Amino acid sequence: MTLLALVRALHPLVRAETAAEAPAAGIEAADLEQSVWLRLLERQAGHGQPADPARWVRAAVRAEARSARRRALRERSCRADDLPGDSGGRPERIAESADERRALRAAVDRLPGKCPRLLGAILAAHDPTYREIAGELGISQGSLGPMRSRCLGCLRRMLAAEVVAPELRGKER
């Protein structure tokens, strides 16, 4: 019997068996059916067709259902607040982060003197060391700390002036 003829002959049995076993296994019947067909193709490549196809189908469906139940015991669903990266994977948060980075870069570019180059080097994606930054800017490594402090202070003052202070809530005194 050809593989196509075997599949056609077994299709109603596979569909019925998977529909019966799927709910108890916690898997969709179509997924279980697909696993059984894959198992048949793998067997066809190695051992040929089963001697008793109906018995083989029942055994294969039950084996795949057991496997799905074991997987369900090990796997746990992920709640939205358990997502890795502290909700960084949500599209809204990704867009907000990108806006924040653009605003920070724009503010850094408006700083006076050597501050834009220094803070730009500190914010670099490859996370350079102080020695690398000092070499890139052509200044001594010992002056980086005080210069960074002055630049960050200037950035804080600039951003504080741009951000509207929150209104007082509750009673005013």
Side-chain angles (χ1 to χ4, degrees), residues 150-166:
R150 283 192 304 275
C151 291
L152 288 176
C154 187
L155 181 63
R156 279 189 205 97
R157 285 188 300 278
M158 182 191 314
L159 291 176
E162 291 178 6
V163 176
V164 177

Side-chain angles (χ1 to χ4, degrees), residues 130-143:
Y130 265 31
R131 176 177 284 167
E132 292 169 339
I133 293 171
E136 180 181 324
L137 298 178
I139 58 177
S140 71
Q141 188 174 343
S143 65

Side-chain angles (χ1 to χ4, degrees), residues 41-159:
L41 288 174
E42 288 171 346
R43 178 183 170 84
Q44 188 77 11
H47 297 31
Q49 294 181 357
D52 185 0
R55 177 178 284 171
W56 181 89
V57 165
R58 289 185 195 100
V61 168
R62 283 172 183 75
E64 289 296 328
R66 276 192 308 273
S67 175
R69 278 193 295 273
R70 282 194 297 270
R71 267 193 316 274
L73 289 173
R74 282 179 288 174
E75 295 174 354
R76 291 191 172 81
S77 62
C78 195
R79 295 190 324 254
D81 55 339
D82 288 343
L83 290 175
D86 129 34
S87 75
R90 294 190 200 143
E92 299 86 6
R93 184 64 197 134
I94 291 171
E96 289 171 0
S97 296
D99 285 342
E100 290 168 0
R101 283 191 303 275
R102 275 192 293 275
L104 178 63
R105 292 285 181 180
V108 165
D109 288 342
R110 292 192 313 267
L111 288 171
K114 294 184 180 181
C115 290
R117 287 186 61 212
L118 172 66
L119 292 182
I122 290 173
L123 292 172
H126 66 278
D127 196 25
T129 64
Y130 265 31
R131 176 177 284 167
E132 292 169 339
I133 293 171
E136 180 181 324
L137 298 178
I139 58 177
S140 71
Q141 188 174 343
S143 65
L144 273 181
M147 187 176 176
R148 178 186 67 90
S149 182
R150 283 192 304 275
C151 291
L152 288 176
C154 187
L155 181 63
R156 279 189 205 97
R157 285 188 300 278
M158 182 191 314
L159 291 176

Side-chain angles (χ1 to χ4, degrees), residues 14-38:
V14 170
R15 175 131 321 158
E17 288 288 328
T18 56
E21 289 287 332
I27 188 172
E28 291 187 28
D31 292 339
L32 188 56
E33 184 177 344
Q34 186 176 20
S35 298
V36 171
W37 289 125
L38 181 61

